[in-house]
């Protein structure tokens, strides 16, 4: 083992948290201490004091990051470009979201025709002075007379639904509270809508929603009639025997059926029920006060696969499923003969079928994922036959918007160098006509200055892992580049090419090479790729990410001390676990809102739904999976672990969380922060850990959704200024 370095001016005085050594849990005969259990109470005086001290520490570190102000200035300039979402239609009107550039929140617009004058329908920026009230969901009634919209405060997942008249933009008195993990789905008569909600929390009227940690249980489906109080809403579905199940109700485009999806967790399986609304003589409202569910019938009884509605003709339904098809397929079934299913579009050997949208009466726009790039096709709805390939650049599809009766479809695209393109595809003729409807331009950004390569590097077990590498043209492979490696690897989520103004600034002004690793656990190659990074195989995710880092070093892109790793949510877990396992391989780590306590995550808010990916410590076998990689329980002094390779310390670390994150609650990051500072930087002795370990704790923000633009800019400036200082990256004009 090499000699330990002397403590230098970088050493910090950490506000060490009190350790309660009496808190010990016994898991299947194994005692596991939890000395920072008290940090699980966000409202305790001691937790608040700990947070305040960490904020002061982090601010003191960030003030020494010389490029912070310059970085914020450049980020602000590059963020300032108009952003548009794919438009959608309802009735005879068009609707779309638009942000002029630096507005805190995107604004909903309406227009009578594509060449008509757009009007602001709903501007969430008027709902709060600081932009922390966001529009989290919306649905326009079929006749376009009403807009039901959900707003959330400070980034919380809790949503309050209100109703507006589109014609005069006047709010109706309707208010729906305690909605979470829901949609809004109108009935065809525009008299009301379905939604999902949880029971009101205790002391709900006084609650600072988003700071509580109680488990979300007993979600129910309701129907709300316009002009009535929420207390009069019709209870359409409840399941007292399965309190962890989640439910979504969705009305078919023609209004005949309401479909009920039942999810037991985050696994790619669901039950599917249907109710023929046309068979209810007095409508859904007539079920008020009955206390039982609507007369739903089972179409899919077991949690054996994923089933997602695409279209129907009468009682014949077309569904997207992974039943006996890891890369998905389209199937058809008649509700009157539910035992007979047959394939319409069979599973492809290589490409993953991601979605299918019915359009032009009897056609489908089908979206495949091929080596992490989207491919679009036009197919016949009845037979599934291929009609045309829709030519697009190497891109990610950001949206496909059409109704079945429409003879045109809007398609949004994006990639690392294209901020956004929205095409209008006309299907009136024999050959689809694709034209640019909107192109998003970023002033001062020249895509020809950059290059994008996709490479495939071997993981620990030899499996090839795809990676996108984005850099300025002409970089040398001499190991001198600073590099940012990003990953996720979970919940069947595919990380596809996307534009980031912040990463453009890093590449242009810091010479940073950006790499996106498509590790197992995601959905990039279908169900098998996802399952290969879940449960007992979760270690594959960390092995893949570590192998991606090793590839960047061996290929000459960078060196360990110039390499930063970054991830969010499940990706925050990824970063923290990899740092524990290979602290010698990285110079810096940015872990956002990560799941860090793998033994107790299922006890808080919606954490119980993640057991499909992680397992649960309540089960003995699964406890042993989790304890091996849980970031909180695997912090070790690397200079004692890695004696065979000389001195090793942990890389510089920033753990990012937010005070209203009620999905991955802040206690995860706070407990890990306290643990790392105690283990690696003990107060009773001089520590060789000179790299800083800090936490950035955002106020009035949540898991990420709805965060106003200025908060996005400020956070990016802070974390990347920290990264630049710790990696030694110099500013390039």
């Amino acid at each position: 083992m090499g000699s330990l370095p002397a403590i230098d001016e970088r050493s910090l005085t950490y506000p060490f948290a009190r350790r309660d050594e009496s808190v010990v849990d016994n898991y299947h005969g194994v005692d596991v201490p939890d000395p920072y259990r008290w940090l699980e109470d966000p409202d305790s005086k001691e937790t608040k004091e700990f947070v305040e001290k960490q904020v002061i520490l982090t601010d003191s570190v960030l003030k020494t990051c010389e490029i912070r102000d310059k970085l914020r200035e450049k980020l602000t300039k590059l963020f300032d470009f108009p952003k548009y979402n794919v438009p959608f239609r309802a009735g005879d009107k068009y609707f779309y979201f638009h942000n002029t550039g630096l507005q805190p929140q995107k604004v909903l617009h309406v227009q009578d025709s594509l060449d008509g004058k757009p009007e602001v329908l709903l501007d969430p920026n008027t709902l709060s002075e600081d932009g922390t009230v966001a529009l989290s969901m919306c649905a326009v009634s079929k006749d376009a007379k009403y807009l039901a919209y959900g707003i959330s405060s400070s980034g919380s997942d809790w949503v309050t639904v209100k109703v507006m008249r589109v014609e005069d933009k006047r709010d109706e008195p309707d208010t729906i509270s305690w909605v979470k993990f829901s949609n809004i789905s109108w009935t065809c008569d525009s008299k009301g809508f379905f939604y999902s909600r949880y029971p009101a929390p205790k002391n709900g009227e006084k609650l600072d929603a988003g700071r509580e940690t109680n488990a979300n249980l007993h979600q129910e489906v309701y129907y709300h009639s316009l002009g009535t109080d929420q207390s009069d809403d019709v209870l359409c579905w409840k399941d007292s025997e399965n309190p962890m199940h989640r439910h979504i109700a969705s009305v078919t485009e023609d209004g005949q059926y309401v479909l009920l999806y039942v999810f037991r967790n985050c696994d790619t399986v669901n039950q599917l029920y249907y109710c023929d609304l046309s068979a209810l003589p007095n409508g859904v409202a007539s079920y008020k006060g009955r206390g039982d569910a609507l007369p739903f019938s089972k179409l899919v009884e077991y949690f054996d696969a994923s089933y997602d509605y695409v279209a129907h003709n009468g009682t014949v339904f077309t569904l997207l499923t992974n039943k006996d098809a890891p890369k998905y397929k389209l199937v058809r079934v008649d509700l009157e003969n539910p035992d007979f299913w047959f394939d319409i579009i069979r599973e492809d050997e290589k490409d993953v079928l991601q979605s299918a949208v019915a359009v032009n009466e009897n056609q489908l726009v089908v979206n495949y994922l091929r080596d992490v790039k989207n491919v679009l096709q036009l197919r016949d709805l009845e037979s599934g036959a291929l009609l045309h390939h829709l030519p697009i650049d190497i891109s990610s599809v950001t949206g496909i918007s059409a109704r079945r009766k429409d003879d045109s479809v809007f398609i949004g695209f994006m990639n690392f160098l294209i901020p956004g393109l929205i095409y209008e595809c006309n299907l009136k003729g024999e050959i689809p006509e694709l034209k640019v409807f909107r192109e998003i331009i970023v002033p001062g950004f020249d895509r020809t200055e950059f290059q994008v390569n996709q490479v495939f590097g071997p993981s620990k077990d030899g499996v090839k892992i795809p990676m996108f590498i984005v850099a300025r043209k002409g970089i040398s492979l001499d190991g001198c580049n600073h590099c940012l490696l990003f990953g996720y690897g979970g919940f069947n989520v595919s990380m596809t090419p996307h534009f980031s103004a912040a990463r453009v600034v890093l590449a242009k002004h810091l010479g940073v090479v950006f790499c996106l690793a498509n590790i197992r656990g995601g959905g990039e190659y279908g169900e098998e790729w996802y399952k290969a990074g879940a449960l007992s195989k979760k270690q594959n995710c960390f092995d893949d990410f570590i192998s991606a880092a090793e590839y960047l070093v061996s290929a000459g892109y960078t060196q360990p001390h110039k390499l930063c790793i970054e991830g969010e949510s499940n990706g925050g877990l990824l970063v923290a676990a990899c740092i524990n396992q290979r602290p010698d391989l990285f110079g810096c780590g940015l872990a956002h809102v990560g799941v860090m306590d793998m033994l107790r995550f299922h006890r808080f808010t919606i954490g119980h739904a993640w057991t499909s990916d992680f397992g649960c410590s309540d089960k003995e076998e699964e406890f042993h999976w989790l304890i091996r990689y849980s970031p909180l329980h695997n912090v070790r002094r690397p200079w004692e672990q890695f004696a065979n390779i000389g001195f090793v310390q942990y890389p510089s670390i920033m753990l990012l969380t937010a005070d209203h994150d009620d999905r991955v609650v802040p206690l995860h990051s706070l407990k890990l922060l306290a643990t790392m500072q105690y283990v690696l930087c003990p107060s009773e002795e001089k520590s060789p850990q000179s790299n800083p370990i800090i936490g950035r704790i955002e106020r009035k923000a949540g898991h990420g959704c709805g965060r106003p633009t200025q908060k996005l800019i400020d956070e990016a400036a802070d974390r990347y200024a920290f990264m630049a200082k710790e990696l030694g990256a110099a500013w390039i004009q």
Side-chain angles (χ1 to χ4, degrees):
M1 177 174 174
S3 60
L4 300 183
I7 304 301
D8 59 22
E9 68 278 1
R10 287 162 52 85
S11 297
L12 300 175
T13 300
Y14 290 97
F16 295 106
R18 174 181 63 85
R19 288 176 63 83
D20 185 351
E21 304 292 354
S22 68
V23 181
V24 179
D25 295 314
N26 187 279
Y27 293 90
H28 317 288
V30 179
D31 285 339
V32 180
D34 193 2
Y36 300 115
R37 178 73 57 83
W38 54 269
L39 280 169
E40 293 180 1
D41 181 359
D43 296 318
S44 74
K45 180 181 178 181
E46 196 172 10
T47 297
K48 291 179 179 179
E49 288 176 352
F50 174 79
V51 168
E52 287 302 319
K53 289 177 181 178
Q54 294 295 336
V55 169
I56 293 170
L57 171 68
T58 299
D59 285 346
S60 71
V61 172
L62 291 176
K63 286 177 181 177
T64 67
C65 299
E66 296 179 359
I67 70 165
R68 185 184 181 197
D69 292 338
K70 194 176 297 186
L71 190 54
R72 182 182 289 107
E73 179 186 346
K74 289 294 183 182
L75 286 168
T76 301
K77 185 176 181 180
L78 204 63
F79 262 79
D80 192 8
F81 66 93
K83 306 162 187 71
Y84 293 89
N85 284 32
V86 175
F88 61 94
R89 298 185 70 178
D92 57 357
K93 299 181 183 298
Y94 292 84
F95 301 82
Y96 66 93
F97 286 96
H98 172 48
N99 188 314
T100 57
L102 294 176
Q103 289 177 287
Q105 304 288 342
K106 58 187 179 182
V107 178
L108 180 60
H109 292 72
V110 61
Q111 55 191 131
D112 292 330
S113 63
L114 287 180
D115 54 1
K117 181 182 179 181
E119 298 179 4
V120 172
L121 179 59
L122 179 60
D123 184 357
N125 299 298
T126 64
L127 303 178
S128 62
E129 292 184 2
D130 58 4
T132 57
V133 173
L135 182 61
S136 57
M137 60 181 179
C138 69
V140 180
S141 62
K142 187 174 182 180
D143 58 9
K145 288 185 178 180
Y146 296 99
L147 167 73
Y149 63 95
I151 56 175
S152 60
S153 299
S154 301
S156 170
D157 281 331
W158 287 115
V159 174
T160 299
V161 178
K162 295 182 175 292
V163 179
M164 172 187 287
R165 282 178 29 169
V166 173
E167 182 179 9
D168 56 11
K169 304 174 183 61
R170 188 185 73 185
D171 270 336
E172 298 289 290
D174 306 64
T175 299
I176 313 297
S177 302
W178 304 115
V179 177
K180 184 183 276 195
F181 309 127
S182 176
N183 65 337
I184 300 170
S185 192
W186 288 87
T187 45
C188 194
D189 57 12
S190 301
K191 292 182 178 180
F193 52 83
F194 293 94
Y195 67 95
S196 306
R197 61 160 292 183
Y198 287 93
K202 294 180 181 179
N203 301 318
E205 294 181 358
K206 301 178 181 179
L207 187 68
D208 184 3
R211 287 183 55 82
E212 79 288 351
T213 61
N214 298 332
N216 299 134
L217 302 172
H218 298 289
Q219 189 188 48
E220 298 171 337
V221 176
Y222 285 87
Y223 178 79
H224 176 74
S225 296
L226 287 184
T228 66
D229 190 81
Q230 184 176 6
S231 61
D232 294 325
D233 289 354
V234 177
L235 176 60
C236 300
W237 183 268
K238 68 177 181 179
D239 186 354
S240 301
E241 295 182 359
N242 296 288
M244 296 183 185
H245 286 184
R246 290 174 294 116
H247 317 94
I248 291 289
S250 179
V251 180
T252 56
E253 187 177 310
D254 63 356
Q256 181 175 355
Y257 296 96
V258 57
L259 306 178
L260 177 72
Y261 297 87
V262 181
F263 305 92
R264 62 184 180 185
N265 45 41
C266 291
D267 199 2
T268 51
V269 299
N270 62 273
Q271 294 176 324
L272 184 58
Y273 298 75
Y274 65 92
C275 175
D276 187 348
L277 295 176
S278 66
L280 305 181
N282 298 309
V284 181
S286 65
Y287 277 75
K288 174 186 172 184
R290 292 194 182 188
D292 55 358
L294 290 184
F296 282 102
S297 300
K298 286 184 179 179
L299 179 57
V300 177
E301 181 175 4
Y302 302 105
F303 290 104
D304 63 350
S306 170
Y307 299 88
D308 196 12
Y309 169 84
V310 175
H312 76 276
N313 288 326
T315 60
V316 179
F317 274 55
T318 301
L319 304 169
L320 174 67
T321 183
N322 58 6
K323 175 66 172 175
D324 301 320
K327 291 184 173 59
Y328 292 79
K329 63 182 179 180
L330 284 192
V331 297
R332 190 159 291 154
V333 61
D334 192 332
L335 301 182
E336 296 180 351
N337 186 17
D339 294 328
F340 180 63
W341 297 63
F342 60 96
D343 294 351
I344 298 302
I345 300 179
R346 294 184 178 180
E347 178 189 24
D348 191 270
E349 292 183 1
K350 184 178 180 182
D351 301 342
V352 182
L353 178 55
Q354 288 198 309
S355 66
V357 177
V359 66
N360 202 24
E361 297 297 347
N362 292 304
Q363 293 179 336
L364 291 169
V365 175
V366 175
N367 181 19
Y368 281 98
L369 192 62
R370 176 181 299 167
D371 279 334
V372 206
K373 301 171 289 283
N374 285 122
V375 175
L376 290 181
Q377 299 174 350
L378 186 67
R379 288 181 176 262
D380 181 77
L381 173 60
E382 181 63 26
S383 66
L386 176 64
L387 302 177
H388 296 282
H389 292 281
L390 299 181
I392 61 172
D393 291 329
I394 295 176
S395 301
S396 301
V397 172
T398 58
I400 301 174
S401 173
R403 299 173 297 188
R404 185 170 175 180
K405 66 180 182 180
D406 296 335
D407 56 16
S408 65
V409 56
F410 294 99
I411 306 170
F413 299 95
M414 175 188 290
N415 65 26
F416 294 112
L417 304 181
I418 297 178
L421 273 174
I422 300 174
Y423 288 104
E424 182 183 8
C425 184
N426 191 317
L427 302 173
K428 294 178 182 178
E430 291 187 9
I431 299 176
E433 181 184 347
L434 212 62
K435 66 176 182 180
V436 174
F437 175 70
R438 278 198 179 103
E439 181 176 5
I440 296 173
I441 303 295
V442 180
F445 169 62
D446 182 359
R447 73 186 62 159
T448 63
E449 296 178 359
F450 302 89
Q451 63 186 34
V452 180
N453 297 313
Q454 187 181 31
V455 299
F456 295 82
S459 187
K460 183 177 180 179
D461 58 2
V463 172
K464 296 292 186 181
I465 307 301
M467 292 176 278
F468 291 101
I469 300 177
V470 186
R472 295 191 70 166
K473 285 184 177 178
I475 64 164
S476 57
L477 299 181
D478 55 4
C480 292
N481 305 296
H482 297 94
C483 195
L484 176 62
L485 172 62
F486 190 93
Y488 186 78
F491 297 92
N492 199 38
V493 174
S494 300
M495 303 299 291
T496 55
H498 62 284
F499 182 81
S500 166
R503 287 167 189 155
V504 168
V505 172
L506 295 183
K508 187 170 184 177
H509 294 288
L510 292 173
V512 172
V513 175
F514 173 70
C515 175
L516 175 63
N518 298 110
I519 63 178
R520 283 173 285 186
E524 287 87 349
Y525 290 97
E527 194 76 7
E528 293 175 349
W529 191 258
Y530 162 46
K531 295 297 185 183
L535 299 175
S536 64
K537 299 178 180 178
K538 187 66 180 175
Q539 182 60 39
N540 283 338
C541 302
F542 315 133
D543 290 341
D544 291 355
F545 201 57
I546 289 169
S547 296
E550 291 175 332
Y551 174 88
L552 293 172
V553 173
S554 64
Y557 283 98
T558 191
Q559 301 173 46
H561 70 277
K562 293 177 177 286
L563 173 60
C564 176
I565 54 174
E566 183 176 19
E568 302 170 356
S569 195
N570 176 75
L573 158 65
L574 172 71
V575 168
C578 288
I579 285 174
N580 279 338
Q581 294 182 19
R582 287 295 305 276
D584 61 307
L585 189 55
F586 316 110
C588 185
L590 305 173
H592 303 242
V593 293
V595 187
M596 305 305 192
D597 185 346
M598 302 309 298
L599 302 187
R600 289 176 58 80
F601 70 86
H602 59 291
R603 299 175 181 270
F604 309 107
T605 62
I606 197 61
H608 55 78
W610 312 333
T611 57
S612 54
D613 258 58
F614 302 141
C616 180
S617 62
D618 293 343
K619 299 178 181 179
E620 183 171 2
E621 180 185 12
E622 297 176 7
F623 160 74
H624 288 290
W625 303 341
L626 294 163
I627 194 67
R628 289 191 187 102
Y629 69 81
S630 175
L632 182 64
H633 302 93
N634 286 278
V635 180
R636 304 287 187 271
R637 296 182 175 185
W639 52 90
E640 297 171 357
Q641 280 185 293
F642 291 81
N644 60 316
I645 60 173
F647 172 72
V648 176
Q649 63 171 319
Y650 265 48
S652 303
I653 296 170
M654 177 185 281
L655 303 179
L656 299 96
T657 187
D659 64 352
H660 284 73
D661 187 346
D662 49 359
R663 194 174 307 179
V664 181
V665 287
L667 65 90
H668 284 278
S669 294
L670 298 183
K671 289 171 71 174
L672 180 60
L673 184 62
T675 300
M676 283 185 163
Q677 290 176 349
Y678 172 79
V679 173
L680 302 174
C681 315
S683 58
E684 72 276 4
E685 59 185 82
K686 287 189 174 182
S687 169
Q689 176 70 31
S690 60
N691 292 331
I693 299 171
I694 61 174
R696 188 185 189 278
I697 306 165
E698 183 70 82
R699 289 181 169 86
K700 297 191 74 174
H703 199 61
C705 295
R707 189 166 295 192
T709 300
Q710 191 58 55
K711 282 187 179 292
L712 293 175
I713 292 172
D714 290 343
E715 184 189 272
D718 286 354
R719 71 179 189 265
Y720 291 138
F722 175 76
M723 176 195 76
K725 179 184 178 183
E726 299 308 311
L727 298 186
W731 188 262
I732 304 170
Q733 291 297 339

